[in-house]
Amino acid sequence: MIPFKDIELQDKELITSFTLNSPRRNCDLSFSNLCSWRFLYNTKFAIMDGFLLLKFWADGELVYMMPIGNGDLNKVLDALIEDANREGEPFCLLGICAGMCSELETFMPGRFQFTADRDYADYVYLRSDLATLSGKKFQAKRNHINKFKKTYNYEYTPITADRIRECLDLEAEWCKVNNCDQHEGTGNERRALIYALHNFDGLGLTGGILHVEGKIAAFTFGMPINQDTFGVHGEKADTRIDGAYAMINYEFANHIPEQYIYINREEDLGIEGLRKAKLSYQPAIILEKYVACLKEQPVEAIKW
């Protein structure tokens, strides 16, 4: 029996000892995301035979992440299948990227059905692109930034403990304007974001605040997903200030250490305006993620 337990803040060092050393760039593997969204997914983890195992419920369906680590993957997959059987549920793996599909086929040929959902693909950018906006393809973005600089008296500062209250106040105002408590999706996002801000240091987050005329106009935060990819997990701005989103994006990219080649700005969830905005920044990779379910145990479509 696999000794799954609830994820807690004190598990950060153990969990990130696996995720930070993995080649996987999925936003799902950020410790902040795992911990901040556990209220919705009842997320649990276990360490077994050199692998980190993650287990949760999405849309009421039991799902697992692809094991992370080194060792006998076949043995660990068999143990996960047995765990799902014990739960009386079909066996599905979520967040499977293209390379992992072939890996699963190697270990269990022909046993899985792979289903992709474009709405849940991650947008992965070159940090240098977002930090410099150089080249013809970013001309419009540079113009937007230059206009902001000429229009406003602004300042960018890191998020520190004494500035969390400002971020919470802006988030509350944003939520009021956008009626987020009336929509399940934005309501859940709000709960995760507030948890992250209240536990900023414990989660190991880094962030920045944009002030315009001395008042907060935007904030953003995130943390490393692995050794070359930094995940941006939260971003809010006062939409009355033209260019606030573009400017906080630009400034934060310039303050992320150069160690990180890539910035993962997560999914668009099928929201047309969000997709258009994310594509406009010219992603280096659109990281498609698949659900892999055993063919002998068909299930309805799972939404992450």
Side-chain angles (χ1 to χ4, degrees):
M1 189 169 178
I2 302 175
F4 280 107
K5 67 179 288 289
D6 293 335
I7 288 181
E8 299 177 40
L9 275 175
Q10 55 263 37
D11 299 313
K12 175 179 175 287
E13 186 175 349
L14 177 57
I15 289 173
T16 56
S17 70
F18 287 88
T19 56
L20 288 178
N21 293 302
S22 165
R24 301 177 197 171
R25 300 189 176 104
N26 312 33
C27 68
D28 326 297
L29 298 180
S30 158
F31 180 75
S32 176
N33 281 343
L34 289 169
C35 209
S36 299
W37 286 89
R38 62 188 169 171
F39 73 91
L40 185 62
Y41 300 115
N42 192 22
T43 314
K44 299 180 183 297
F45 83 101
I47 308 299
M48 177 183 174
D49 294 344
F51 286 91
L52 168 66
L53 309 180
L54 294 163
K55 171 182 182 177
F56 49 92
W57 280 258
D59 251 18
E61 301 282 354
L62 174 63
V63 285
Y64 303 84
M65 294 294 287
M66 182 76 162
I68 304 167
N70 297 295
D72 188 345
L73 180 59
N74 217 1
K75 178 183 175 183
V76 173
L77 287 172
D78 284 339
L80 288 178
I81 293 170
E82 183 182 335
D83 186 80
N85 290 338
R86 188 178 295 110
E87 294 272 13
E89 299 286 346
F91 178 67
C92 289
L93 293 161
L94 205 63
I96 303 296
C97 301
M100 290 182 242
C101 294
S102 56
E103 192 176 0
L104 281 172
E105 278 298 294
T106 298
F107 284 98
M108 295 183 170
R111 292 191 65 188
F112 286 97
Q113 176 177 325
F114 299 94
T115 307
D117 189 335
R118 175 65 177 79
D119 295 352
Y120 291 84
D122 288 357
Y123 287 80
V124 181
Y125 304 86
L126 289 172
R127 183 199 53 78
S128 57
D129 277 351
L130 299 188
T132 64
L133 299 176
S134 62
K136 186 176 180 180
K137 65 182 180 180
F138 289 115
Q139 180 66 56
K141 298 294 184 188
R142 288 200 306 279
N143 291 344
H144 207 184
I145 293 299
N146 290 334
K147 180 183 177 182
F148 186 96
K149 290 179 176 179
K150 290 176 183 176
T151 304
Y152 299 109
N153 176 24
Y154 77 93
E155 180 187 24
Y156 175 90
T157 55
I159 293 180
T160 49
D162 59 323
R163 294 193 180 278
I164 295 294
R165 184 71 258 165
E166 285 183 275
C167 299
L168 289 166
D169 290 344
L170 177 59
E171 189 281 332
E173 182 62 30
W174 185 95
C175 196
K176 182 179 177 182
V177 169
N178 290 275
N179 299 312
C180 71
D181 286 334
Q182 297 179 25
H183 306 282
E184 184 180 7
T186 49
N188 288 334
E189 180 197 32
R190 183 180 197 201
R191 183 171 173 182
L193 189 148
I194 290 173
Y195 175 86
L197 287 172
H198 277 300
N199 295 278
F200 201 80
D201 292 334
L203 289 167
L205 291 164
T206 300
I209 298 177
L210 187 69
H211 289 95
V212 170
E213 310 300 339
K215 182 182 177 184
I216 186 169
F219 70 88
T220 188
F221 61 82
M223 70 180 298
I225 295 172
N226 68 8
Q227 295 296 327
D228 70 7
T229 304
F230 192 99
V232 175
H233 306 318
E235 187 177 81
K236 287 286 179 282
D238 185 340
T239 53
R240 296 170 300 182
I241 300 175
D242 184 39
Y245 272 113
M247 196 65 188
I248 193 68
N249 184 347
Y250 172 76
E251 285 286 356
F252 195 40
N254 274 282
H255 286 82
I256 291 171
E258 292 187 7
Q259 166 190 342
Y260 301 102
I261 300 168
Y262 298 102
I263 295 177
N264 184 326
R265 289 184 57 81
E266 304 193 349
E267 314 101 326
D268 64 34
L269 305 177
I271 301 168
E272 184 178 351
L274 193 54
R275 179 168 296 186
K276 183 178 179 181
K278 287 180 182 287
L279 287 172
S280 74
Y281 276 95
Q282 311 293 327
I285 303 166
I286 294 180
L287 189 64
E288 277 203 296
K289 295 181 286 189
Y290 297 79
V291 178
C293 297
L294 286 178
K295 290 179 179 178
E296 63 261 34
Q297 299 175 335
V299 296
E300 297 296 322
I302 294 173
K303 294 294 184 182
W304 181 204

